[in-house]
Amino acid sequence: MCGIVGILGKSSVSTNLVDALRRLEYRGYDSAGIATIEGPGIERRRAEGKLRNLEKRLIAEPLGGRTGIGHTRWATHGRPTERNAHPHMTAKVSVVHNGIIENFRELRADLEAKGHKFETDTDTEAVVHLITEELDQGAKPVAAVRSALQQLRGAFALGIIFAGEDDLMIAARKGSPLAIGHGSGEMYLGSDAIALAPFTDAITYLEEGDWAVLRRSGAEIFNIDGVPVERPLVKAVASALLIDKGNYRHFMAKEIHEQPEVISHTLANYLDMTQARVRFPDLGIDLSKLTRVTISACGTAYYAGLVAKYWIERYARVPVEIDVASEMRYREAPLPENGLAVFVSQSGETADTLATLRYAKANGQRIASVVNVRTSTIARESHTALPTLAGPEIGVASTKAFTCQLSVLACLAIAIGRARGTISAEQETALVNALMEVPRHVASILRSDEAFVAVAHELSKADDVLYLGRGSSFPIALEGALKLKEISYIHAEGYAAGELKHGPIALIDENVPVVVVAPEDELFEKTVSNLQEVAARGGQVILISDASPEKTGCKLAAHIQMPKVDSFVAPMLYAVPTQLIAYQTAVLMGTDVDQPRNLAKSVTVE
Ligand code: F6R
C-alpha cells in the first residue's frame, strides 16, 4: 500500500514532505523518496527501506525546493530497491503513484519504440514517459496530463510536478483515494487527511475519476470527462484525523469505495504483477502432496471460505471441507495427514474460529490464516499468517475485508493448482491477469450508485428478500442476504438457485423481491430457468449480471449491469453490488448503518 504527498509551499518543503510521509508509513515502508522543483529542473532523493534512510540521505544531500512530491512505497511492480522507488522522473516531469497501471506493458512497448529509455521495472514509469511524450509533442503540462490520463487503464492515484513549474502540481484519482489540503498561500496533496493533519484541516476529497490542478492560490478540479466541478471543502476534526470517514456519510460507504485500492494492495502482496505469476509465501507443507484443505470461519469470512472451496476444488483439484467454526470446533471432525487448515478472520480474534484453529493444530494440520489484523491472536497462533491489506475496517458489516479475503484465497487456489500441476503456466498468467483487472472493474461498478438506490427503494418495502446464486455465486447470494439483514433488519435468505424448487419457492409472491446473482458463465442457463420460475409466480426479480436482460426471457424489476470478466474473478466483483444494495437500503430505512443493533465488530465470545 503506497502513500502519496505533495506540497506547494512558501519555503523549502522537504522536511514537511518527510513529516507527512511518516504519517503514511502504515501504507508502505519498503522504500521512500521525494522530488522537488529546483530552478529550471527537478531533483530527487530516494532510499530503500524505512523512512529514516531517506531522512539520512536528505541530511547528506538536502533539497531546497518550495514545490515537491513524496512517496512511501509498498512494492507492486518491481523489487523494493532504490531504483524502483518513487518519485519516478524524466528531465521534464516527476510522478508519485499509488495503485496499478494495468496497461503499462503496452504503453511501455509503445514508448520504447518512440525512443524513450526506461530505467525501472515499475508500472509508474510508463506514466512518466507518457506525459513526457505529450510534452515533447508540444503540449502544455495540464493538456499533457489530461491526454495521458485518457490512455491509462487501472486503479490509481497520481501526484505530478513539472520541471521549471514552481507553482503547479497535478493530482488524479481513479480507484485510489486522494485528499487536497488548503493552507494559506500553500496547497497540499495526500493519500488521506491524516497525512496533512500537521498542516491543515481544510480538506477536499477528490471523487472517483477526478483530477485537479493545484496552484498556491487554490485547486481547480475536473471530473472524468474533463468538466470543471466543485467538490466540498470539509473541516477534518481532530478525532477524524485518526480514523477518518473522508467525505462519506458512513464508514461502510467509505470502506466499500476503498475496495479498488485495498484489493490491489492485497493482490500485490501475493502476485508478481510484472511476470503475471502468483508469489505465495511458503506454507511449510508440500502443496503437491496435499490430501485435503479444511476451511473454517464465521459469518462473512465463512462465505469467503465457501468461495475458496469452489476455487480450490475446481482449479487445484483438492477436496475441501468447510464448516462454520462454531460447528466445526465441536464436531470432532477427523483430519487427514498432509492436510492444510485455513482460517479466515478479519479481526483475527473470533473465539469460535480460534478454537477451531487450535483443534486443527492439535490434530496435525498445517495452519494458515487469512487475517486483516497481523498482530491478532489467530495470526500469532498460525504457522503462516496471510494478511489482507484492507486497512482498518470500522463499519460493523464487513465489506472490504471480504473482497480482500477473496483476493488472498484466489491466489492460494492458484498457488496450490500450480504446485499440483492442475494449472499450467499459461492458465496461471490468464488467471493472474484477470485478478489484476479486478480493482478497475470494481471502480467501474462503484460509479453506478443510482442503480442501487432504485433497487433499495424496492427492497425497503419488503418484509422478506431472497438471494439466489449457483456455483461460486452461491456464497455471494448468502453474503448478500447477510449484508441486507444485518444492516437493514429486513429478513433475507440466500439459497443455491437449484434448491429453490425444493422448498423456498413456496415463499414467492409479488411481495418478495428475489436478487439473482448470475454471471454469464457455464451455469447461467440453469440459473435463468430458476429465475423464470420466480417470475412466473409474480416474484420481483433483481438481476445482477453481465448478460443482457433479454437473455432471461422474462420481465425484470431491475437489472444491475456488470462488466464482462473471467468467471474465476466474478465473486470478487459480484459481492460489490450486494454491498451497495444493502447499504442504500439501510440508508433509506434510517438504521444505524455502521453500528447495527445487536452486532459487534469483534466476536471474542462463543
Ligand atoms: C458480517 C460480519 C461478520 C463477521 C464474523 C467473523 O458483516 O462482519 O459476519 O464476518 O463475525 O468475524 P471475523 O472475520 O473478525 O472473524
Side-chain angles (χ1 to χ4, degrees):
M1 202 169 350
C2 305
I4 290 180
V5 292
I7 304 179
L8 288 158
K10 289 181 186 153
S11 55
S12 168
V13 290
S14 70
T15 308
N16 282 350
L17 284 173
V18 173
D19 274 357
L21 286 179
R22 190 168 298 109
R23 301 171 72 85
L24 288 174
E25 237 186 336
Y26 76 94
R27 301 173 70 91
Y29 35 77
D30 59 37
S31 55
I34 66 169
T36 53
I37 304 296
E38 305 286 327
I42 308 174
E43 290 273 337
R44 72 176 161 185
R45 304 285 180 264
R46 300 178 295 170
E48 202 176 309
K50 298 264 193 202
L51 203 51
R52 58 178 172 270
N53 298 348
L54 176 65
E55 285 179 277
K56 278 190 213 142
R57 176 71 53 90
L58 281 163
I59 291 168
E61 299 169 78
L63 288 176
R66 305 187 309 152
T67 300
I69 49 178
H71 190 267
T72 174
R73 181 165 187 247
W74 197 87
T76 59
H77 295 67
R79 294 165 50 75
T81 56
E82 180 173 334
R83 191 172 65 97
N84 286 332
H86 296 224
H88 292 291
M89 61 183 280
T90 60
K92 295 185 173 175
V93 65
S94 181
V95 172
V96 285
H97 163 222
N98 176 25
I100 297 171
I101 306 296
E102 278 170 18
N103 56 337
F104 79 100
R105 290 193 207 98
E106 296 100 283
L107 291 172
R108 181 170 178 147
D110 192 43
L111 289 157
E112 281 178 336
K114 288 181 176 142
H116 289 259
K117 296 265 176 292
F118 280 68
E119 292 171 357
T120 75
D121 310 320
T122 64
D123 52 340
T124 312
E125 207 184 351
V127 183
V128 179
H129 285 280
L130 192 58
I131 298 170
T132 304
E133 174 65 19
E134 297 287 340
L135 295 169
D136 288 348
Q137 297 304 319
K140 295 268 185 280
V142 175
V145 172
R146 183 191 295 131
S147 165
L149 288 176
Q150 283 160 1
Q151 299 172 61
L152 298 180
R153 270 207 344 252
F156 50 79
L158 296 167
I160 309 163
I161 53 173
F162 302 85
E165 297 278 354
D166 173 62
D167 192 23
L168 177 64
M169 182 177 302
I170 301 185
R173 169 197 169 147
K174 208 174 149 205
S176 295
L178 264 188
I180 293 174
H182 304 257
S184 112
E186 298 192 314
M187 289 295 286
Y188 305 91
L189 180 69
S191 297
D192 57 36
I194 301 169
L196 308 182
F199 318 118
T200 180
D201 58 357
I203 301 290
T204 301
Y205 292 95
L206 290 185
E207 292 185 10
E208 190 50 25
D210 283 355
W211 58 285
V213 178
L214 276 60
R215 302 187 196 275
R216 284 184 181 76
S217 53
E220 263 181 297
I221 304 178
F222 303 88
N223 69 11
I224 199 161
D225 303 316
V227 178
V229 282
E230 291 288 326
R231 302 293 181 214
L233 195 150
V234 293
K235 267 237 168 310
V237 289
S239 62
L241 292 174
L242 283 176
I243 311 167
D244 175 35
K245 230 188 267 182
N247 53 348
Y248 293 97
R249 199 166 147 193
H250 299 102
F251 280 109
M252 184 179 177
K254 175 173 179 256
E255 288 158 6
I256 289 173
H257 283 83
E258 280 172 354
Q259 288 178 110
E261 191 197 11
V262 295
I263 292 172
S264 67
H265 291 316
T266 302
L267 286 173
N269 207 27
Y270 299 95
L271 298 178
D272 177 340
M273 303 228 179
T274 315
Q275 303 296 325
R277 294 267 172 275
V278 165
R279 187 184 50 198
F280 215 75
D282 183 1
L283 297 181
I285 184 170
D286 183 349
L287 295 180
S288 69
K289 301 214 168 66
L290 271 189
T291 50
R292 193 204 290 168
V293 178
T294 303
I295 305 179
S296 197
C298 300
T300 290
Y302 166 73
Y303 296 141
L306 199 51
V307 174
K309 174 182 167 74
Y310 283 87
W311 280 337
I312 295 171
E313 291 193 337
R314 170 158 186 189
Y315 291 96
R317 312 295 305 145
V318 188
V320 177
E321 133 119 275
I322 176 160
D323 203 351
V324 290
S326 52
E327 287 300 313
M328 194 178 274
R329 67 180 289 187
Y330 295 117
R331 263 176 47 205
E332 297 181 17
L335 297 171
E337 265 182 47
N338 278 328
L340 173 69
V342 179
F343 298 90
V344 188
S345 176
Q346 188 283 127
S347 63
E349 301 295 346
T350 302
D352 285 324
T353 310
L354 180 60
T356 315
L357 180 157
R358 288 174 179 157
Y359 172 81
K361 203 173 186 182
N363 283 272
Q365 303 301 287
R366 194 73 196 170
I367 310 292
S369 60
V370 179
V371 284
N372 199 35
V373 182
R374 288 172 196 235
T375 49
S376 61
T377 315
I378 289 178
R380 280 185 277 114
E381 294 201 16
S382 302
H383 295 121
T384 314
L386 302 169
T388 49
L389 283 92
E393 192 179 63
I394 310 296
V396 162
S398 188
T399 53
K400 62 176 181 169
F402 178 66
T403 45
C404 287
Q405 287 159 353
L406 291 180
S407 305
V408 179
L409 293 164
C411 296
L412 173 66
I414 301 174
I416 302 176
R418 283 296 286 143
R420 291 171 55 81
T422 54
I423 294 177
S424 66
E426 294 72 42
Q427 282 169 312
E428 178 183 10
T429 304
L431 295 173
V432 169
N433 281 336
L435 282 171
M436 281 168 60
E437 288 182 1
V438 167
R440 171 170 58 96
H441 288 306
V442 171
S444 79
I445 297 165
L446 292 172
R447 281 197 284 274
S448 44
D449 252 8
E450 279 150 38
F452 301 106
V453 176
V455 172
H457 274 283
E458 286 305 310
L459 298 197
S460 62
K461 291 182 242 155
D463 292 327
D464 304 285
V465 180
L466 297 188
Y467 282 70
L468 302 180
R470 267 180 194 265
S472 59
S473 297
F474 167 45
I476 302 305
L478 293 169
E479 167 61 4
L482 176 65
K483 271 310 73 100
L484 185 71
K485 71 182 132 194
E486 67 182 328
I487 59 168
S488 74
Y489 315 145
I490 296 172
H491 173 240
E493 294 301 334
Y495 287 101
E499 276 291 291
L500 187 68
K501 54 173 91 56
H502 299 287
I505 199 163
L507 297 172
I508 305 287
D509 64 21
E510 57 285 356
N511 299 317
V512 179
V514 181
V515 180
V516 183
V517 183
E520 196 172 11
D521 55 14
E522 65 280 5
L523 299 175
F524 180 69
E525 291 299 321
K526 308 264 177 219
T527 310
V528 165
S529 315
N530 305 129
L531 187 156
Q532 287 167 341
E533 290 156 11
V534 172
R537 285 156 183 85
Q540 301 296 306
V541 176
I542 294 152
L543 177 67
I544 306 177
S545 180
D546 53 341
S548 67
E550 296 76 52
K551 290 206 174 153
T552 63
C554 56
K555 195 167 166 296
L556 302 173
H559 174 232
I560 304 288
Q561 183 66 54
M562 295 292 284
K564 287 249 171 270
V565 292
D566 189 313
S567 60
F568 174 58
V569 299
M572 298 168 72
L573 296 180
Y574 282 67
V576 178
T578 66
Q579 298 166 350
L580 287 164
I581 288 172
Y583 173 74
Q584 295 294 0
T585 308
V587 169
L588 274 181
M589 310 279 292
T591 56
D592 186 345
V593 173
D594 283 332
Q595 291 172 336
R597 69 184 181 205
N598 307 341
L599 293 174
K601 187 68 186 157
S602 187
V603 184
T604 50
V605 291
E606 268 191 67

